Amino acid sequence: MASPSTELPPCLALAGPTASGKTAAALAIAAELPVEIISVDSALVYRGMDVGTAKPSARELAAVPHHLIDIRDPLQAYSAAEFVHDATQLIHAIRARGRHPLLVGGTMLYFKALFEGLDDMPKADAQVRATIEAEAQEKGWPALHAELLQVDPLTAARLQPGDSQRIQRALEVWRLSGRPLSAFHTRQADAPPSAMMRATTLVSLEPQERAWLHARIAQRFDAMLAQGLLDEVRRLRARGDLHADLPSMRCVGYRQAWELLDAHEARGPGAALPLDELRERGVQATRQLAKRQLTWLRSMPQRRVVHCDAPDALQQVLQIARRWARG
């Protein structure tokens, strides 16, 4: 396993599933402490993707320095290894300015890569991917999910049978390396915690009641639709150089909206947009994302859980942040 950054100074990290209140908590911390926020979010890196990513508003971005937001065009990829490199440099620079790095987000692979290191996974192979695509067309993605269950049960258990992108990547890694994808993401059980992990206070926003989070997810997706998610996806499609298989367009909400617009165009002029279907699929996909995020979080024993549905959740987060800042 590649070595994590063992010389990094102490950091405060705030993680949680989508719609758990991370942005509000981070801004509350920033109102009290001299922090700069490092985004730990694989969707916020993309320019022109604001509504569907719940990107902080211009006012929120102006209230405290933010980093790793709007750093890539949607045509480009951004890997966990790139995140570790960029975040490491930022942590040192923020400390050099006499301020505190505050890592905030819900892309758990980024957190684990930063804390624990990440093995060098095989790069994408067009021929292997084409073979897997052909098999999927013949057998269906559920059949390939069943195949993945045989060779990588840990990864298969956290994926839905129709999650084509992640099933494809997991099978690609297996066929190229002979190792399951989960082996690259999991630190050896007997390995000591890295200095980075020991030096980081990780606050995890987790609901006691899943129904509370589900209601928040539905409210947020409704707000995205009202704020123009479909128009945003239309503008991205109108560029002409983006397609549905890009990592950016696979983000929750964008994928469902893209597929809806594809189906609408196929029906021809005058066809009604089934917005109820988009809402149902978008909310369901976001719930599945939140479930995966919580599974990742529960594999991080060093985390300090704050129940985000508790009435005093924000005060609990602030108390932890104050104690951390005092050293």
Side-chain angles (χ1 to χ4, degrees), residues 235-263:
R235 287 194 296 272
L236 292 165
R237 288 164 64 93
R239 286 179 35 159
D241 59 345
L242 303 178
H243 56 83
D245 292 327
L246 287 167
S248 58
M249 295 300 103
R250 289 282 187 172
C251 291
V252 169
Y254 291 89
R255 178 179 182 177
Q256 289 73 34
W258 192 288
E259 291 172 348
L260 175 80
L261 291 170
D262 274 346

Side-chain angles (χ1 to χ4, degrees), residues 51-297:
V51 176
T53 61
K55 193 170 289 179
S57 66
R59 179 182 58 81
E60 291 167 337
L61 291 171
V64 56
H66 285 70
H67 304 280
L68 303 187
I69 294 177
D70 290 340
I71 61 170
R72 289 288 187 277
D73 183 85
L75 194 59
Q76 301 171 308
Y78 188 67
S79 69
E82 289 174 303
F83 167 79
V84 171
H85 175 269
D86 293 344
T88 299
Q89 289 192 327
L90 284 165
I91 289 167
H92 283 297
I94 292 167
R95 279 291 185 185
R97 290 192 284 271
R99 299 174 68 84
H100 301 306
L102 175 57
L103 296 152
V104 182
T107 300
M108 304 310 164
L109 176 59
Y110 286 8
F111 276 119
K112 289 181 76 72
L114 184 64
F115 295 160
E116 303 174 8
L118 192 65
D119 276 341
D120 293 328
M121 284 188 284
K123 294 183 179 179
D125 185 290
Q127 184 173 353
V128 172
R129 288 198 167 191
T131 299
I132 295 171
E133 287 279 1
E135 292 175 9
Q137 290 180 5
E138 179 183 350
K139 306 175 186 177
W141 285 108
L144 294 190
H145 181 267
E147 177 185 331
L148 181 63
L149 187 63
Q150 299 300 312
V151 298
D152 188 357
L154 287 176
T155 298
R158 62 182 180 84
L159 299 182
Q160 296 295 315
D163 193 344
S164 58
Q165 180 192 22
R166 292 181 176 87
I167 294 170
Q168 181 189 59
R169 178 56 178 157
L171 285 174
E172 178 186 34
V173 168
W174 166 256
R175 294 182 185 184
L176 288 170
S177 69
R179 295 176 60 195
L181 182 66
S182 55
F184 291 95
H185 290 173
T186 306
R187 188 167 55 90
Q188 298 299 320
D190 58 352
S194 71
M196 177 62 189
M197 186 185 300
R198 292 194 303 270
T200 299
T201 295
L202 174 61
V203 181
S204 179
L205 295 174
E206 302 176 24
Q208 297 178 90
E209 300 294 336
R210 194 67 61 90
W212 178 91
L213 186 64
H214 287 177
R216 296 256 302 186
I217 286 170
Q219 290 167 6
R220 192 166 82 161
F221 201 82
D222 285 340
M224 288 176 179
L225 290 174
Q227 292 162 10
L229 172 61
L230 267 178
D231 288 338
E232 185 171 74
V233 176
R234 285 190 181 102
R235 287 194 296 272
L236 292 165
R237 288 164 64 93
R239 286 179 35 159
D241 59 345
L242 303 178
H243 56 83
D245 292 327
L246 287 167
S248 58
M249 295 300 103
R250 289 282 187 172
C251 291
V252 169
Y254 291 89
R255 178 179 182 177
Q256 289 73 34
W258 192 288
E259 291 172 348
L260 175 80
L261 291 170
D262 274 346
H264 181 252
E265 289 179 1
R267 294 187 187 110
L273 271 171
L275 292 178
D276 288 346
E277 178 185 343
L278 172 59
R279 182 189 185 276
E280 180 180 353
R281 294 182 61 201
V283 168
Q284 182 60 30
T286 309
R287 286 184 178 184
Q288 292 168 0
L289 169 62
K291 183 178 180 180
R292 291 194 298 270
Q293 290 169 315
L294 286 166
T295 299
W296 275 96
L297 280 167

